[in-house]
Amino acid sequence: GEGNMLHADSFALGDSMSALEMMDPKMDAGLLNPTVIPADEVLEKKILPLDPDLETTVAIIDKVLALEMTWVRGTAIVQTLFTCLYCHCPNDVVGEPLKLYLQMLLKGCDSTKKTVSKASVYEEEDFSVNMGGYALCEQVGDDEIAARMSALEETLHKSLKEA
């Protein structure tokens, strides 16, 4: 009815500020740009290179690190980390350095969210625990990540010795 708002059960008052910004033509550049392709379509049509070269991998990691810091400062994860399409499909990335980085990052986000939620030391405008329905690599085990990190470190160390 009039005056009511349709929303998901996970919707919090703090999310309303983001929702308004994301739908406001003055605030949401994607709304004005008809050339923006939805993430699922980009992945389905294989437009996103899942095995980027080393230079591109470093640039992606640099950008994602900046996005992570913006998330930690209080901006919603859907407006920060999940603006990077690689965060939508970390398990599909072919290059091990980028794949491992993204999986570790998302597992770290999950851990941060759980810790902040349990401690109840946040205000919705300071930290949003709403992950927007995105997966945070919960299916990848900590031991697996640690083993792969050690193996990658060894491989990179050998590469540096040979260079």
Side-chain angles (χ1 to χ4, degrees), residues 81 100 151:
L81 288 169
L100 185 56

Side-chain angles (χ1 to χ4, degrees), residues 15-90:
D15 297 327
S16 65
M17 293 177 0
S18 299
L20 293 173
E21 290 177 10
M22 290 177 71
M23 294 181 169
D24 183 342
K26 293 178 185 173
M27 301 295 287
D28 189 349
L31 198 62
L32 298 175
N33 189 348
T35 62
V36 173
I37 304 169
D40 55 346
E41 191 175 324
V42 169
L43 298 172
E44 184 180 302
K45 291 183 176 181
K46 301 185 187 307
I47 297 170
L48 185 70
L50 295 175
D51 193 9
D53 61 29
L54 181 61
E55 186 176 332
T56 304
T57 296
V58 171
I60 292 166
I61 290 172
D62 183 58
K63 178 64 176 173
V64 172
L65 182 60
L67 293 170
E68 180 186 13
M69 293 304 102
T70 305
W71 173 65
V72 169
R73 287 190 204 114
T75 305
I77 200 166
V78 296
Q79 293 177 311
T80 55
L81 288 169
F82 285 103
T83 61
C84 174
L85 294 178
Y86 288 100
C87 289
H88 291 248
C89 61

Side-chain angles (χ1 to χ4, degrees), residues 122-133:
Y122 68 96
E123 298 288 332
E124 283 293 327
E125 63 270 6
D126 296 330
F127 185 85
S128 176
V129 294
N130 184 349
M131 298 294 121

Side-chain angles (χ1 to χ4, degrees), residues 157-163:
H157 188 68
K158 284 179 186 175
S159 295
L160 288 174
K161 279 186 174 182
E162 293 171 4

Side-chain angles (χ1 to χ4, degrees), residues 92-129:
D92 296 332
V93 174
V94 176
E96 182 66 1
L98 181 57
K99 179 178 192 166
L100 185 56
Y101 172 78
L102 293 168
Q103 289 174 335
M104 288 174 33
L105 167 79
L106 294 174
K107 286 190 72 59
C109 292
D110 187 47
S111 179
T112 300
K113 178 195 80 152
K114 287 175 181 173
T115 302
V116 171
S117 295
K118 283 181 185 175
S120 296
V121 293
Y122 68 96
E123 298 288 332
E124 283 293 327
E125 63 270 6
D126 296 330
F127 185 85
S128 176
V129 294

